Amino acid sequence: MWRGAVGRLLRGSGAGSPRAASGSAVAQLRRRLESELEDIRGAGTWKSERIISSRQGPHLRLEGGGAGILNFCANNYLGLSSHPEVIRASVEALEKFGAGLSSVRFICGTQSIHKDLEEKIARFHQREDAILYASCFDANAGIFEALLTPEDAVLSDELNHASIIDGIRLCKANKYRYKHMDMQDLEAKLQDAQKHRLRLVATDGAFSMDGDIAPLREICQLAQKYGALVFIDECHATGFLGPNGRGTDELLGVMDKVTIVNSTLGKALGGAAGGYTTGPKPLIDLLRQRSRPYLFSNSLPPAVVGCASKALDLLMESNAIAQSMAAKTQRFRSKMTAAGFTISGKDHPICPVMLGDARLAAVMAEDMLNRGIYVIGFSYPVVPKGKARIRVQISAVHSDEDIDRCVDAFTQVGRKHGALP
């Protein structure tokens, strides 16, 4: 495609014409991009996409004939993306409400199911109101700019998700970054931020790369001491952390002290797409008026709304699925530790197998697939240099036999490549 475009530009113009200059610019761009891509390959951090030819679940079929593959790298924590009731609800919503609204919410893109789901989300999190977005990335991109002004301050954990970082960049508030889960550093930053009108502490509830959980009790204590608000991103907590799966604020007993919760419908809650903000009603009302990703994005497709609504129904009817995660997570972590691996985080179904070397992580992940285990290696820039790992994610629909097979494969591959003695 590039070669054809450049050729057409050069053939149709003299050396000094604008079209020739344009062709030269395209060729220069191509050389630069190809050099950057080669650097990525050379560093061993190239990210390939494996093509799945089956539905999401603990067992997959990969395009090209790979069948019976055990899936240990999805955010499908509760196994609801293929739950028959969730799928049925999606089909019913599609048939009743159509494929999509062809519009943003405030023009003609709000249906009764959108309002019903927002009410259900607020009730699940025990908040006043909620607002839907196309993704939690959009929710994080939309809240800080709408809420904070140059008179305010935001204090962010240094390992917060990229969407939080990008959302904070968009706002004009004074920005502080505190060391990862370091409460002494946060307190120092809060002391310095007292000169600002409003102070907002922003943190992931559960950190997706390391599987560790924010010390929300301590954060909330400091916020109360220094008159700050607390915001948490719960994408890797909603649905399965806490006695009823409401997230890290429920797990740590601070639901009444966290002001704003952002989360996703695209992981534990059906696995399709969508995100949301839930919190005080005046805040939600303001976001409907000023949040750019909300105002300028089409409303969620009815099929996605149907999925998420049914997933929340299942969670509010019973906590059995949410409670099934703990034993399976502990089984994997304890067996991998006994085998000699270092597993980051604690008591979370995100179980990063720490390897350090990017090439080692990539080679081991590929060898694991050869043994029927689908995992992915993570390296810079997704994680810091020298912190490469294979991130394993446990699902409620994994069996004990699935987990044991994964551990056995890791042990064999680890010994083969020198990650274990």
Side-chain angles (χ1 to χ4, degrees), residues 78-336:
L78 301 177
L80 296 182
S81 63
S82 297
H83 192 288
E85 291 186 51
V86 172
I87 294 173
R88 191 178 308 117
S90 175
V91 172
E92 290 173 357
L94 178 66
E95 291 177 341
K96 182 175 181 179
F97 293 98
L101 277 298
S102 306
S103 181
V104 300
R105 289 280 298 267
F106 79 94
I107 298 178
C108 62
T110 299
Q111 291 175 320
S112 57
I113 53 173
H114 294 102
K115 300 304 295 182
D116 292 344
L117 178 55
E118 287 169 337
E119 186 278 329
K120 195 173 293 186
I121 288 169
R123 181 155 39 93
F124 178 72
H125 284 283
Q126 299 180 1
R127 262 67 179 188
E128 293 177 11
D129 202 356
I131 180 172
L132 290 170
Y133 287 88
S135 68
C136 191
F137 206 112
D138 278 346
N140 286 341
I143 188 167
F144 301 103
E145 184 181 26
L147 177 63
L148 303 176
T149 74
E151 298 181 64
D152 305 318
V154 58
L155 303 95
S156 175
D157 188 294
E158 65 180 350
L159 293 188
N160 275 340
H161 190 269
S163 59
I164 299 176
I165 295 169
D166 285 358
I168 290 173
R169 284 173 177 164
L170 291 171
C171 78
K172 293 183 172 64
N174 299 273
K175 302 170 180 66
Y176 295 80
R177 185 174 66 175
Y178 64 91
K179 296 175 184 176
H180 181 48
M181 301 200 305
D182 186 327
M183 295 300 95
Q184 286 186 331
D185 193 39
L186 174 58
E187 183 165 19
K189 298 292 195 301
L190 279 166
Q191 289 171 347
D192 188 51
Q194 288 303 290
K195 55 183 175 283
H196 303 299
R197 181 187 64 174
L198 184 151
R199 294 158 297 284
L200 178 68
V201 180
T203 181
D204 277 312
F207 291 85
S208 62
M209 286 297 114
D210 293 284
D212 47 8
I213 296 171
L216 283 183
R217 290 194 191 100
E218 293 82 356
I219 289 173
C220 289
Q221 288 169 1
L222 287 174
Q224 186 172 10
K225 180 178 179 179
Y226 292 99
L229 304 173
V230 177
F231 161 99
I232 55 174
D233 179 311
E234 289 286 80
C235 286
H236 292 276
T238 298
F240 57 93
L241 288 189
N244 300 288
R246 291 188 169 91
T248 55
D249 57 346
E250 183 189 46
L251 177 72
L252 299 174
V254 291
M255 290 186 71
D256 60 335
K257 295 179 174 61
V258 173
T259 308
I260 307 166
V261 175
N262 275 14
S263 194
T264 183
L265 306 174
K267 292 182 172 58
L269 301 184
Y276 58 85
T277 297
T278 185
K281 189 178 189 312
L283 169 65
I284 304 305
D285 289 343
L286 179 68
L287 293 175
R288 293 193 195 281
Q289 301 303 312
R290 291 188 178 171
S291 180
R292 292 165 68 87
Y294 176 82
L295 289 168
F296 298 104
S297 297
N298 272 19
S299 49
L300 276 180
V304 172
V305 177
C307 279
S309 185
K310 176 54 68 173
L312 281 169
D313 287 343
L314 293 172
L315 287 177
M316 288 191 282
E317 288 168 6
S318 170
N319 67 354
I321 303 177
Q323 289 299 300
S324 71
M325 291 298 306
K328 294 179 180 182
T329 298
Q330 179 58 29
R331 184 182 187 92
F332 179 82
R333 284 180 170 272
S334 62
K335 283 179 171 284
M336 287 290 285

Side-chain angles (χ1 to χ4, degrees), residues 321-375:
I321 303 177
Q323 289 299 300
S324 71
M325 291 298 306
K328 294 179 180 182
T329 298
Q330 179 58 29
R331 184 182 187 92
F332 179 82
R333 284 180 170 272
S334 62
K335 283 179 171 284
M336 287 290 285
T337 301
F341 288 103
T342 298
I343 310 298
S344 180
K346 182 182 178 183
D347 301 332
H348 193 283
I350 292 175
C351 303
V353 183
M354 304 304 294
L355 298 169
D357 181 79
R359 287 183 179 278
L360 177 62
V363 169
M364 283 185 58
E366 192 64 32
D367 208 352
M368 289 287 287
L369 183 60
N370 294 335
R371 297 164 193 262
I373 310 293
Y374 187 173
V375 290

Side-chain angles (χ1 to χ4, degrees), residues 24-36:
S24 176
V26 172
Q28 182 182 18
L29 174 63
R30 175 173 178 155
R31 287 193 298 270
R32 182 175 68 80
L33 294 178
E34 288 179 341
S35 176
E36 288 186 24

